[in-house]
Amino acid sequence: MKQTLGEKLFDACNTIMLILVCLVMLYPVLFVFGRSVMTDLDRAAHPFAIWPTAWDISGYKYVFSSGSYIVNAYAITILRTIAGTFCNMLFTAALAFVLSNRDYPLRGAFTMLIAFTMWFGGGLIPMFLLVKSLGLYNHFAVLILPGLISAWNMLILRNFFMQIPQGVIESAKMDGASELVIFLRIILPLSTAALATISLFYAVGHWNSWFDAMIYVNDRDLWPVQVFLREIIHNTNLNDMIRSDAVVEVNPPAQSVIMATIVVTTLPILCVYPFLQRYFVKGITVGSIKG
Amino acid sequence: MNTIAAPSRKRSIGTARRKAATWIWKYRYLHALALPCMLYFLIFKYLPMYGIVIAFKDYKGMGGFEGIVHSDWAGMKNFNLFFHSIYFWRLLRNTLVLSLYLLIFAFPAPIILALLINEARGRWFKKVVQSISYMPHFLSWVVCAGLVLQLLTPTGGPVNALMELMGKEPVAFTSDPAYFRLILVVTNIWKEVGWGTIIYLAAMASIDPELYEAAAMDGARKWQKMFYITLPGIKEIVAIMLILGMGDILDGHFEQVFNLYSPAVYDVADNFDTYVYRQGLVEAKFAYSSAVGLFKSAVALALVVLANRAAKRLGSDGLW
């Protein structure tokens, strides 16, 4: 079908607008990435530039210097992401399986109890006092235990499980399979895509999480990168990042360090998100269908 | 668990007991799987809910969680203190104003972007635009605040450089109360607009393509199809999202505000969530800040229930 002039104009405007949207999305990130390797002089001379005229990687050298906490913080972030996501999935999948059993007598009561926690909670202070009383304060487990099961993720996974044809489960039961066997041998292998989706929800959550570590941990050796980034952005005190007994010869420009820290924190997630997003989209669209 | 559940053949056990035992035994695997998970909810969700009583107590700041039980009752003292302070109206005003701004500006943004993406030519172009617009959603507010502060700084930030080019004085945006809400709205849109399109694009994809074909036969223009087919096609999901959004009107957007604000802008930025944090964890007024938090979450719960009921009336499944 031939396009009229008006329609061509419509398409052109639409394309231009979308390209503008993309530029607005990308500019802040490219800005900080590019300027993390600039000198202070370069930054002052070219306020809009995202490409350095002279390279200066002193910010990165400082961030990765021997006395810096960042390497340790990175290890904490990676550890909490892997161990945390594993524990999340173990318990979330188990509970989702139990609640996907239509004939389990406690199903309704448990679902109600869990769903209620999505809309009402004890709040910051009772939770903080509880963490202290449980001895979790300044303990690595505090980054995992309080958020062990997300009610929302669990219900999404339960909905996935419930879409598995009952016939498959019934015939396994006929053959004498116990619920445990059904869970491990039938449900889990049939829902790898769903499990991947929910794991990614948890993993990105762990990677980006900072508030729990900020309030429950004051031992800098247990801080994840996000907390250091927050600290350095808001205090602009470069020494926050370096162990007190470390020797640093020359301090680089503060802006270089801040930007380098942002890049170091952000780069991994920017590298993987394009491959993860379709799982996320699937999780959202399925999650909006209530079971 | 299994030892308790083992069915006993002793005659002395009554039928009710035996029934309970067989019931436990029959579902033993499910019980065993559910037990640790429900323990988690009991300890980390329901115990803190019990801890809310601290709001009605005279907690002295020592003794951890058990101290809540042992401290004396204070009645409504903490609540009265809050309702009569200048903070109550300030926090309520800031929360509601921000929510209102977000409703007016941030709520329609993903609908408009979804319409644009839906009309985009070329599958590849569409995919790239979507991927790029989702990107900020995957960054934490700590990172986003870092980006924003770098862009807005009066010393060498591009926004101020642009203002200078236009012959205006530099502005310390993030510490200027006149601009703070604008910054919150713009950064909120930047971070979540792309992600927000997902639900609308899914709704648009489910519109019957025959409608578009029939309209084309009748000579409808592109923008006419957009206004008379696409928009009415997503009308219901828009209404439901709007109503459910009303339930979140007391949400303080803690992560965003907390990472962007500073004492200079408390007057326009402070809300229930940030105030609870500062009073509770910075100044250790545990009982008082819990009262503030409880007031907020009780009203918020009521709003969610109302919003859900309204959404159901519109024919949505609602949230529960």
Side-chain angles (χ1 to χ4, degrees), chain A residues 7-275:
Chain A
E7 286 192 326
K8 271 184 192 158
L9 210 66
F10 180 100
D11 277 341
C13 286
N14 193 20
T15 308
I16 292 169
M17 292 238 270
L18 286 173
I19 290 173
L20 271 178
V21 168
C22 289
L23 289 179
V24 169
M25 292 293 157
L26 289 175
Y27 183 71
V29 177
L30 295 178
F31 179 82
V32 168
F33 273 56
R35 293 167 86 85
S36 66
V37 289
M38 284 187 186
T39 57
D40 263 350
L41 218 65
D42 204 6
R43 276 192 285 259
H46 309 102
F48 306 106
I50 55 173
W51 197 257
T53 45
W55 290 66
D56 171 30
I57 54 165
S58 59
Y60 290 92
K61 274 187 185 156
Y62 185 84
V63 167
F64 288 112
S65 66
S66 59
S68 163
Y69 279 104
I70 283 290
V71 177
N72 183 63
Y74 233 87
I76 295 287
T77 297
I78 291 171
L79 198 62
R80 81 168 283 180
T81 303
I82 293 172
T85 307
F86 178 76
C87 296
N88 289 145
M89 288 313 290
L90 201 65
F91 287 90
T92 306
L95 189 58
F97 168 68
V98 172
L99 298 183
S100 71
N101 266 269
R102 289 179 176 81
D103 53 352
Y104 184 54
L106 295 173
R107 178 175 183 251
F110 281 174
T111 309
M112 281 252 288
L113 277 174
I114 292 161
F116 182 65
T117 65
M118 297 203 290
W119 317 114
F120 190 76
L124 189 63
I125 304 304
M127 191 65 195
F128 178 77
L129 294 174
L130 180 68
V131 161
K132 279 217 145 176
S133 285
L134 290 174
L136 288 173
Y137 191 80
N138 262 345
H139 194 291
F140 178 73
V142 83
L143 304 179
I144 295 173
L145 277 181
L148 191 62
I149 302 173
S150 140
W152 180 249
N153 288 348
M154 193 279 294
L155 290 178
I156 293 178
L157 199 57
R158 185 201 66 159
N159 289 355
F160 269 114
F161 288 168
M162 282 169 70
Q163 286 164 12
I164 292 172
Q166 281 293 300
V168 185
I169 298 161
E170 289 303 323
S171 62
K173 270 189 189 159
M174 295 285 221
D175 294 343
S178 69
E179 268 99 358
L180 212 56
V181 173
I182 292 173
F183 178 49
L184 296 174
R185 291 282 175 80
I186 297 173
I187 303 285
L188 290 187
L190 280 178
S191 2
T192 42
L195 293 169
T197 305
I198 303 297
S199 316
L200 292 173
F201 276 140
Y202 278 124
V204 173
H206 274 297
W207 187 275
N208 280 337
S209 170
W210 53 278
F211 189 65
D212 50 1
M214 188 186 79
I215 62 173
Y216 300 139
V217 177
N218 70 3
D219 175 2
R220 283 172 180 247
D221 281 310
L222 276 178
W223 270 6
V225 272
Q226 299 278 349
V227 183
F228 273 104
L229 178 60
R230 212 199 104 72
E231 184 88 347
I232 203 132
I233 286 172
H234 291 268
N235 295 348
T236 337
N237 181 2
L238 302 190
N239 294 330
D240 284 349
M241 253 169 65
I242 301 286
R243 283 171 214 278
S244 47
D245 53 352
V247 188
V248 182
E249 279 133 36
V250 196
N251 268 353
Q255 240 182 337
S256 297
V257 177
I258 293 177
M259 287 178 166
T261 316
I262 294 179
V263 173
V264 166
T265 319
T266 317
L267 198 61
I269 207 124
L270 287 185
C271 291
V272 294
Y273 100 87
F275 307 101

Side-chain angles (χ1 to χ4, degrees), chain B residues 198-232:
Chain B
I198 291 175
I199 194 133
Y200 299 115
L201 285 171
M204 288 173 192
S206 65
I207 296 174
D208 188 354
E210 277 182 27
L211 288 175
Y212 291 105
E213 283 158 27
M217 293 287 234
D218 293 341
R221 299 255 177 273
K222 259 199 151 167
W223 62 270
Q224 285 173 318
K225 286 188 227 163
M226 199 160 104
F227 275 98
Y228 296 111
I229 299 173
T230 313
L231 268 182

Side-chain angles (χ1 to χ4, degrees), chain A residues 1 3-4 7 10-11 14-15 17-19 21-22 24-29 31-32 35 43 47-48 91 94-95 97-98 101 103-106 110 112-114 116-117 119-131 133-134 136 145-151 178-180 183 201 204 208 210-211 214-215 226 229-230 233-234 255 258-259 262 265-266 269-270 273 276-277 280-281 284-285 288 290, chain B residues 23 26-27 29-31 33-34 36-38 40-41 43-49 51-52 54 59 63-66 68 113 116-117 119-121 125 129-136 138-140 142-143 146-147 149-151 153 155-158 161-162 165 189-190 193 195 198-199 202 216 220-223 226 254-255 258-261 276-277 280-281 286 289-290 294 297-298 301 304 317-320:
Chain A
M1 202 168 64
Q3 274 193 308
T4 63
E7 286 192 326
F10 180 100
D11 277 341
N14 193 20
T15 308
M17 292 238 270
L18 286 173
I19 290 173
V21 168
C22 289
V24 169
M25 292 293 157
L26 289 175
Y27 183 71
V29 177
F31 179 82
V32 168
R35 293 167 86 85
R43 276 192 285 259
F48 306 106
F91 287 90
L95 189 58
F97 168 68
V98 172
N101 266 269
D103 53 352
Y104 184 54
L106 295 173
F110 281 174
M112 281 252 288
L113 277 174
I114 292 161
F116 182 65
T117 65
W119 317 114
F120 190 76
L124 189 63
I125 304 304
M127 191 65 195
F128 178 77
L129 294 174
L130 180 68
V131 161
S133 285
L134 290 174
L136 288 173
L145 277 181
L148 191 62
I149 302 173
S150 140
S178 69
E179 268 99 358
L180 212 56
F183 178 49
F201 276 140
V204 173
N208 280 337
W210 53 278
F211 189 65
M214 188 186 79
I215 62 173
Q226 299 278 349
L229 178 60
R230 212 199 104 72
I233 286 172
H234 291 268
Q255 240 182 337
I258 293 177
M259 287 178 166
I262 294 179
T265 319
T266 317
I269 207 124
L270 287 185
Y273 100 87
L276 310 185
Q277 46 155 331
F280 274 76
V281 171
I284 285 215
T285 38
S288 60
K290 292 282 160 319
Chain B
W23 176 83
K26 186 180 172 203
Y27 296 106
Y29 292 114
L30 295 179
H31 290 319
L33 286 175
C37 303
M38 294 315 289
Y40 161 75
F41 279 97
I43 295 172
F44 286 101
K45 300 288 169 184
Y46 281 91
L47 258 186
M49 274 189 226
I52 287 175
I54 192 179
Y59 186 84
F65 196 78
E66 309 89 280
I68 298 175
L113 184 59
L116 296 185
I117 291 176
E119 297 295 336
R121 308 281 281 171
F125 178 62
V129 172
Q130 277 178 282
S131 295
I132 292 176
S133 70
Y134 295 163
M135 181 265 297
F138 289 88
L139 307 178
S140 72
V142 174
V143 169
L147 301 180
L149 296 177
Q150 290 300 326
L151 290 174
T153 169
T155 52
L162 196 68
L165 279 183
I189 293 176
W190 180 77
V193 65
W195 198 245
I198 291 175
I199 194 133
R221 299 255 177 273
K222 259 199 151 167
W223 62 270
M226 199 160 104
F254 178 82
E255 297 214 351
F258 185 72
N259 280 303
L260 286 168
Y261 82 162
V276 168
Y277 170 82
L281 293 187
F286 291 136
S289 61
S290 296
L294 175 58
S297 41
L301 179 65
V304 169
D317 288 339
L319 295 165
W320 58 82

Side-chain angles (χ1 to χ4, degrees), chain B residues 64-85:
Chain B
F65 196 78
E66 309 89 280
I68 298 175
V69 186
H70 299 129
S71 44
D72 298 325
W73 290 98
M76 300 296 284
K77 193 185 92 180
N78 295 316
F79 291 89
N80 287 332
L81 206 61
F82 175 56
F83 292 140
H84 293 111
S85 73

Side-chain angles (χ1 to χ4, degrees), chain B residues 92-111:
Chain B
L92 189 66
R93 185 195 66 209
N94 287 342
T95 311
L96 292 180
V97 169
L98 179 61
S99 288
L100 187 72
Y101 282 178
L102 289 177
L103 211 59
I104 295 171
F105 299 105
F107 180 78
I111 302 172

